[in-house]
Amino acid sequence: MKFKILVVTFLALILSSCSMIKHHPGKGYAAASKTRYDAVIIPGFPHDGKEWNDVIKFRLLWALHLYENNLSHYFIFSGGAVHSPYNEGYIMAMYAAKMGIPKERIIIEPEAEHSSENIYYSLKICEEKGFKKIAVATDPVQGFLLTNYTERIRNTEIDFINIQPRRIRYMKHCDEPRINTALAFEENFVPLKERKKYWDRKKASLGLHIDYGMKIQEFLKYTKWFKW
């Protein structure tokens, strides 16, 4: 797992300066910095219950940067307990609150098991709350992979505000905040790779297992509410 995290981090740093990310839908950081979004979606990443890794750290610092620059009113942290028994959305939301993003501006989407679901389920929440201006804030690797998917599921444009390491390098909140990870622990957890076969996981990662006909009221039944 640590090797995979290092690879993702390395690729993210390279792609952050690579011209290929200019092909993403949306405005990019320069134009986005002149826009205030209703909500920014931050996809989750596995947590081991002990300490954050670089991927989680970078995504959270980027979310904090967007908050401190008043670029979004709400921040949606999305992700379920997928590869570890710790709910990704809730873990990241607790970190974000400790780092300075007000709880009342944090929304948790706790069900997604794939990047496509991070986006789709978060959009369901946006639809229910009437949010119109929406962006995804993540590393360039994940942002690049999500481009085609977001174009398929939504008629209106979703902006991508990819992490720019030089903007978060000297931020004051680089030390890991103390959180109670036990609050995000899910009992009777079974890893995704034990619940679904390889090709089922690949199809799900493309959004092929999402019930696109699900009504908002039906979707909200699956939403979990956590204690802070």
Side-chain angles (χ1 to χ4, degrees):
M1 176 60 75
K2 288 186 177 180
F3 176 75
K4 290 182 179 180
I5 291 171
L6 289 174
V7 171
V8 171
T9 304
F10 176 72
L11 290 174
L13 291 173
I14 292 177
L15 285 179
S16 64
S17 60
C18 180
S19 61
M20 68 194 298
I21 68 173
K22 294 180 182 179
H23 297 296
H24 284 172
K27 301 178 179 180
Y29 182 81
S33 63
K34 301 176 183 179
T35 302
R36 191 165 193 261
Y37 294 95
D38 295 324
V40 166
I41 302 165
I42 299 94
F45 196 83
H47 191 278
D48 63 7
K50 299 176 181 178
E51 59 184 11
W52 64 4
N53 52 59
D54 284 344
V55 175
I56 292 176
K57 177 181 178 179
F58 290 162
R59 291 184 188 179
L60 285 165
L61 285 174
W62 191 234
L64 182 64
H65 172 80
L66 300 179
Y67 164 72
E68 290 181 340
N69 286 274
N70 200 33
L71 296 186
S72 181
H73 189 76
Y74 289 100
F75 294 83
I76 302 175
F77 294 94
S78 171
V82 186
H83 302 291
S84 85
Y86 295 91
N87 186 280
E88 297 173 10
Y90 191 32
I91 283 283
M92 294 185 76
M94 286 194 290
Y95 275 131
K98 287 284 187 178
M99 294 168 73
I101 300 179
K103 289 183 180 180
E104 60 270 19
R105 294 174 65 170
I106 292 174
I107 299 172
I108 301 171
E109 185 292 299
E111 295 294 332
E113 295 184 334
H114 304 275
S115 297
S116 57
E117 294 176 0
N118 287 140
I119 304 304
Y120 183 76
Y121 293 160
S122 295
L123 287 177
K124 277 291 188 181
I125 292 174
C126 291
E127 184 181 350
E128 189 269 337
K129 293 185 176 295
F131 298 158
K132 302 298 182 183
K133 293 183 179 180
I134 304 164
V136 178
T138 187
D139 52 81
V141 174
Q142 187 178 50
F144 179 74
L145 295 174
L146 282 172
T147 301
N148 291 332
Y149 178 73
T150 56
E151 290 177 336
R152 291 203 311 269
I153 65 173
R154 189 174 172 86
N155 293 326
T156 56
E157 191 175 82
I158 302 172
D159 290 339
F160 280 80
I161 316 174
N162 289 333
I163 295 171
Q164 297 189 4
R166 63 187 177 84
R167 295 185 182 275
I168 62 176
R169 187 177 302 160
Y170 302 109
M171 291 180 71
K172 60 183 179 181
H173 296 283
C174 286
D175 294 330
E176 182 175 5
R178 291 177 176 268
I179 63 171
N180 184 0
T181 58
L183 294 175
F185 184 84
E186 296 202 2
E187 300 288 346
N188 303 316
F189 168 77
V190 179
L192 180 64
K193 64 181 181 181
E194 295 181 17
R195 290 186 279 114
K196 294 182 180 179
K197 296 180 179 179
Y198 176 81
W199 286 113
D200 284 335
R201 298 199 303 272
K202 290 301 180 183
K203 290 179 181 178
S205 68
L206 298 174
L208 299 180
H209 290 177
I210 294 175
D211 180 2
Y212 292 97
M214 183 184 293
K215 304 294 184 182
I216 293 177
Q217 292 76 12
E218 295 173 338
F219 167 76
L220 292 177
K221 291 179 182 179
Y222 295 94
T223 302
K224 303 171 185 175
W225 301 102
F226 297 95
K227 296 180 180 179
W228 284 79

